[in-house]
């Protein structure tokens, strides 16, 4: 559930692969109800079109909103290569690691309620679960899990991404994912992005509440915020309701449809389905204090340096949330997350003055330059018409 780097891509496709030419990729079509300050966003529109034009991604969509601007959205390219259906901004997508922000929020709510201690060893809640091969749950805290300072490897790295069809439809139990991680050698850096951390956090939630993390996310976040298009898919490999198809490049096979996927391999660190609008609503509510009290929100937004090879340059990680300086906005930050799943890449967040944006492409960028173009598009959207 992490971003492929310039050295390693999720489907084993290295940077510099020649992309397939897409016929009929059109210009972005703006939608939504803009306010007077945002009736036109030419720079954002151009950046979005660059994703499907210059970088040949199948489709891209963005929703932007904020004080004085209302809601503005645009889409470019195709939702379905087989039918030629245009990309839309209002359909459901897999959000991957943005799920981590939901899980971290639930954990911090439990801390506020006195059911969890953030700096307690995970051994207290999951006795014996993390032991062996040099790993010891007595030396790892709940906080370490949420900010990726646990020293645990990522089970996602152990999956066979060159033969994804062998396992894309199967269920992975949390215990199996943890065992896959613990069988790997330890990371060589102090900060190491690992979805396994959030699989463990989900089990801690289940241990202290008696309910699955999917239930707690639904009852504590999705329901209260009215996120009608956000849900936990379980073992269903399909996305319910209208959605774009998701594509990925896979060597000599070219671009493949990988929309159907059992997301149990991501679990509490990457399973959720949502929309751009729901994601904007969630991160706005999170950062303005509707989900966490001031003490817990301060804990969440206390960040540590990250490894740019496992995230992106200048990013800092809090507890399930990332801060990133905005290029072109006078040093402003945005707070949010991003997610990579087979067929979908999302990126988005909210600024201190309430501007928010969420971006999705239904394709796997095949070069470092195309990954950079995603970041450029988001930064442009958050800075334009400021």
């Amino acid at each position: 559930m992490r971003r492929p780097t310039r050295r390693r891509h999720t489907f084993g496709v290295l940077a510099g692969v020649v992309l397939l030419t897409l016929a009929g990729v059109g210009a972005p079509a703006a939608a939504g109800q803009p306010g007077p300050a945002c009736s036109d966003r030419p720079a954002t529109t151009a950046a979005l079109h660059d994703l499907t034009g210059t970088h040949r991604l199948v489709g891209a969509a963005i929703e932007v909103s904020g004080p004085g601007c209302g809601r503005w959205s645009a889409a470019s390219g195709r939702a379905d290569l087989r039918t030629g259906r245009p990309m839309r901004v209002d359909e459901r997508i897999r959000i991957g690691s943005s799920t981590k922000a939901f899980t971290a929020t639930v954990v911090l709510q439990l801390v506020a309620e006195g059911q969890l201690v953030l700096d307690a060893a995970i051994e207290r809640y999951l006795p014996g679960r993390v032991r062996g091969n040099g790993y010891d749950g007595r030396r790892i805290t709940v906080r370490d899990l949420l900010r990726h300072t646990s020293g645990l490897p990522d089970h996602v790295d152990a999956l066979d991404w060159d033969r994804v069809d062998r396992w894309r439809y199967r269920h992975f139990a949390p215990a199996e994912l943890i065992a896959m991680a613990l069988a790997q050698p330890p990371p060589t850096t102090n900060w190491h992005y690992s979805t396994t951390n959030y699989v463990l956090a989900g089990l801690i939630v289940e241990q202290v509440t008696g309910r699955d993390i999917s239930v707690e996310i639904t009852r504590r976040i999705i329901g209260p915020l009215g996120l009608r298009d956000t849900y936990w898919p379980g073992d269903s490999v399909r996305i319910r309701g209208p959605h774009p198809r998701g594509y990925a490049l896979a060597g000599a096979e070219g671009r493949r449809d990988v929309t159907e996927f059992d997301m149990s391999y991501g679990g509490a660190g990457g399973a959720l389905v949502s929309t751009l609008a729901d994601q904007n609503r969630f991160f706005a509510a999170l950062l303005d204090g509707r989900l966490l009290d001031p003490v817990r929100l301060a804990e969440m937004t206390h960040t540590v340096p990250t490894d740019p090879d496992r995230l992106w340059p200048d990013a800092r990680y809090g507890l399930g949330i990332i801060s990133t300086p905005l290029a072109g906005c006078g040093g402003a930050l945005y707070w949010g997350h991003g997610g990579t799943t087979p067929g979908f890449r999302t990126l988005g967040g909210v600024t201190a003055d309430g501007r928010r944006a969420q971006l999705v492409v239904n394709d796997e960028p095949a070069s470092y330059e195309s990954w950079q173009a995603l970041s450029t598009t988001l930064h442009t959207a958050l800075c334009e018409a400021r």
Side-chain angles (χ1 to χ4, degrees):
M1 312 311 302
R2 68 178 178 87
R3 179 182 85 81
T5 70
R6 71 180 76 193
R7 290 190 294 272
R8 180 185 184 276
H9 285 248
T10 299
F11 280 85
V13 183
L14 298 178
V17 169
V18 178
L19 304 184
L20 301 179
T21 300
L22 301 182
V25 175
Q33 300 179 3
C38 305
S39 58
D40 189 22
R41 287 179 174 265
T44 304
T45 300
L48 195 71
H49 184 47
D50 187 55
L51 294 175
T52 57
T54 302
H55 296 285
R56 295 290 190 262
L57 296 173
V58 174
I62 194 165
E63 183 188 278
V64 188
S65 59
C69 289
R71 177 173 170 264
W72 181 93
S73 57
S76 179
R78 298 290 178 258
D80 189 326
L81 286 177
R82 185 179 61 83
T83 66
R85 183 169 66 87
M87 192 73 169
R88 293 176 57 93
V89 300
D90 57 352
E91 296 188 337
R92 290 173 174 167
I93 53 176
R94 301 196 192 280
I95 65 170
S97 285
S98 289
T99 303
K100 291 178 172 68
F102 287 76
T103 296
T105 299
V106 170
V107 170
L108 288 167
Q109 287 177 345
L110 293 171
V111 171
E113 295 163 11
Q115 297 191 63
L116 270 176
V117 177
L118 198 54
D119 289 312
I122 64 173
E123 179 77 7
R124 174 173 172 176
Y125 306 106
L126 302 173
R129 177 74 73 167
V130 177
R131 291 286 182 89
N133 199 24
Y135 304 111
D136 189 344
R138 294 170 295 186
R139 300 198 297 263
I140 299 169
T141 67
V142 176
R143 187 192 302 273
D144 287 328
L145 295 180
L146 298 186
R147 71 182 180 188
H148 299 298
T149 54
S150 67
L152 295 175
D154 191 345
H155 68 269
V156 175
D157 291 337
L159 293 167
D160 187 352
W161 290 101
D162 292 323
R163 298 174 179 83
V164 70
D165 285 340
R166 294 185 178 182
W167 56 270
R168 64 186 280 199
Y169 298 106
R170 63 161 291 196
H171 171 78
F172 287 93
E176 185 178 4
L177 300 176
I178 295 165
M180 289 166 60
L182 299 186
Q184 298 180 72
T188 58
T189 56
N190 292 330
W191 187 90
H192 185 81
Y193 190 95
S194 171
T195 295
T196 309
N197 289 324
Y198 277 77
V199 172
L200 287 161
L203 289 179
I204 290 173
V205 169
E206 181 179 353
Q207 179 66 28
V208 301
T209 66
R211 291 179 287 269
D212 189 81
I213 182 63
S214 63
V215 174
E216 290 298 295
I217 285 176
T218 301
R219 65 186 289 267
R220 290 171 175 270
I221 301 173
I222 294 174
L225 293 183
L227 306 181
R228 288 185 288 272
D229 289 308
T230 302
Y231 72 95
W232 194 278
D235 282 328
S236 174
V237 300
R238 297 181 178 178
I239 301 174
R240 299 199 303 253
H243 60 275
R245 307 301 296 178
Y247 298 92
L249 287 170
E253 295 181 51
R255 192 170 264 109
R256 301 178 59 210
D257 186 327
V258 290
T259 311
E260 295 184 353
F261 226 97
D262 188 320
M263 290 305 299
S264 61
Y265 88 90
L272 282 174
V273 171
S274 189
T275 59
L276 300 179
D278 275 7
Q279 285 291 278
N280 268 334
R281 191 174 299 118
F282 164 68
F283 280 106
L286 179 59
L287 271 295
D288 71 15
R290 279 179 278 160
L291 294 172
L292 296 174
D293 62 67
V295 173
R296 255 49 67 171
L297 187 56
E299 294 270 23
M300 174 175 265
T301 55
H302 180 74
T303 61
V304 296
T306 66
D307 177 358
D309 279 343
R310 293 188 74 87
L311 209 52
W312 50 80
D314 301 319
R316 293 180 63 91
Y317 208 91
L319 304 182
I321 199 166
I322 303 166
S323 71
T324 307
L326 277 168
C329 280
L333 297 173
Y334 79 87
W335 293 89
H337 215 288
T340 298
T341 70
F344 297 93
R345 168 61 169 158
T346 64
L347 188 63
V350 60
T351 64
D353 61 2
R355 286 170 292 135
R356 49 194 182 270
Q358 288 289 328
L359 169 68
V360 65
V361 294
N362 62 331
D363 199 357
E364 188 75 11
S367 70
Y368 186 67
E369 290 71 26
S370 57
W371 283 110
Q372 288 180 310
L374 293 180
S375 178
T376 296
T377 303
L378 181 68
H379 286 224
T380 301
L382 287 169
C383 293
E384 190 174 18
R386 185 177 179 217

